Amino acid sequence: MIKVRTAVTEKNQAAQSNDHCHPAANHRCLVLWLYINMRMELMAPVGSWESLQAAIQAGADSVYFGVEHLNMRVKSAASLTLADIPEIVARCAANGIKAYLTLNTTMYDHDRQLISAIITKSKEAGIAAIIAADFAVIQECRKQGMSLHISTQ
């Protein structure tokens, strides 16, 4: 029988060998156990250049934002544009942060060209993934080979 060991397994065994720090023992041990076993991603919403800077300064692991009128935050945030995508990605990359782009509204036939352009620009710029809610966006992401996450609105 071959035994495979990973860094997570070894850390988990080390944490379990400390009887005083079992996950159920107290809050601090639970947080330590979660950090060792499950790396969570702190994702911040961005709707303006100021909120992007705030997310970077606050230590976010990733940000999500929308451009043009094809995202759920368009009415509550300053409008970012298609042309802003490369600069947002560059600022995020310089700070070790992933950038996700939302296309999470209901799409219509007249949106198809813009959807395609946004996904093309996102892929070229290095967006980590598109967050989508509509099948038209999902289909275009698959067509272009763009990473995709599903938005549950």
Side-chain angles (χ1 to χ4, degrees):
M1 180 171 155
I2 298 172
K3 210 173 190 183
V4 177
R5 300 191 90 195
T6 65
V8 172
T9 304
E10 290 170 2
K11 287 180 183 178
N12 192 12
Q13 288 173 349
Q16 287 177 356
S17 69
N18 280 336
D19 291 335
H20 67 280
C21 196
H22 188 271
N26 64 40
H27 183 313
R28 190 173 349 130
C29 289
L30 177 60
V31 170
L32 175 63
W33 185 87
L34 286 170
Y35 182 78
I36 290 170
N37 292 290
M38 305 173 84
R39 178 67 174 118
M40 292 186 221
E41 185 174 315
L42 177 60
M43 181 182 277
V46 169
S48 66
W49 294 106
E50 294 80 13
S51 60
L52 175 60
Q53 188 60 36
I56 291 168
Q57 290 174 341
D61 298 311
S62 63
V63 298
Y64 67 94
F65 65 97
V67 296
E68 308 302 336
H69 63 279
L70 301 179
N71 68 90
M72 297 290 284
R73 301 178 53 79
V74 72
K75 291 182 181 173
S76 66
S79 192
L80 297 169
T81 68
L82 183 61
D84 295 328
I85 295 173
E87 179 62 23
I88 293 169
V89 173
R91 289 186 190 190
C92 288
N95 290 281
I97 296 172
K98 293 182 204 172
Y100 297 92
L101 188 126
T102 59
L103 290 171
N104 57 347
T105 59
T106 301
M107 304 298 171
Y108 298 95
D109 285 339
H110 65 268
D111 296 322
R112 285 191 171 268
Q113 285 184 322
L114 183 55
I115 293 166
S116 181
I118 290 171
I119 294 170
T120 298
K121 184 77 134 190
S122 297
K123 189 172 180 183
E124 290 170 355
I127 289 288
I130 299 292
I131 300 172
D134 190 278
F135 284 109
V137 177
I138 294 167
Q139 183 180 29
E140 187 64 27
C141 283
R142 285 185 175 166
K143 179 180 166 186
Q144 293 194 32
M146 181 68 195
S147 295
L148 173 72
H149 296 293
I150 302 299
S151 174
T152 56
Q153 295 299 322

